[in-house]
Amino acid sequence: TTFLIGSNDGDTTFDEANKLMVRLGIPRDSARLGVVSFASGLFHPKTYHVRRKDGSQAAFVGSCNFTPAGITLGNIEAAISVDTLDGDNLDVLNAIAAAIDNWFETPQPEGVTVIENVGDLQR
């Protein structure tokens, strides 16, 4: 499980990020949490990638928030959904997964903080 969240202008609070860290069970080998904060831009992508137990994959990439207004009501948003169960190309899904993983490469890209413990959150 990998989460990368934005904290533009420090708008993601310690308490919110800590709840997510606890929910993910960090530190845990199969969980990663990163916080992105850019001085000159807004980190606002929405990318969801799932690798199922049977080896199939699905992804959702778009601009909408994971809220009722963003997903089904009211807002006009753009997104694409791909799924190997629907015959979509596995290479595309692997590329989406790799793009997510790249945020956690060492050294981390500028503006990215990988959260491995409460001390990282406090910083």
Side-chain angles (χ1 to χ4, degrees), residues 49 51 55-57 83-84 87-96:
H49 176 268
R51 194 172 274 120
S56 64
Q57 297 181 42
D83 194 323
T84 57
D88 293 323
N89 188 307
L90 180 61
D91 291 338
V92 170
L93 284 137
N94 286 332
I96 292 168

Side-chain angles (χ1 to χ4, degrees), residues 50-58 82-85:
V50 177
R51 194 172 274 120
R52 299 181 188 100
K53 287 181 181 182
D54 68 1
S56 64
Q57 297 181 42
V82 289
D83 194 323
T84 57
L85 293 179

Side-chain angles (χ1 to χ4, degrees), residues 34-90:
V35 177
V36 179
S37 182
F38 296 128
S40 62
L42 179 68
F43 182 80
H44 203 251
K46 312 301 182 290
T47 305
Y48 308 94
H49 176 268
V50 177
R51 194 172 274 120
R52 299 181 188 100
K53 287 181 181 182
D54 68 1
S56 64
Q57 297 181 42
F60 177 87
V61 180
S63 66
C64 51
N65 291 325
F66 198 58
T67 63
I71 300 294
T72 60
L73 306 168
N75 295 359
I76 298 171
E77 304 280 358
I80 186 168
S81 177
V82 289
D83 194 323
T84 57
L85 293 179
D86 293 333
D88 293 323
N89 188 307
L90 180 61

Side-chain angles (χ1 to χ4, degrees), residues 102 104-109:
N102 284 340
F104 292 87
E105 292 296 316
T106 302
Q108 273 82 47

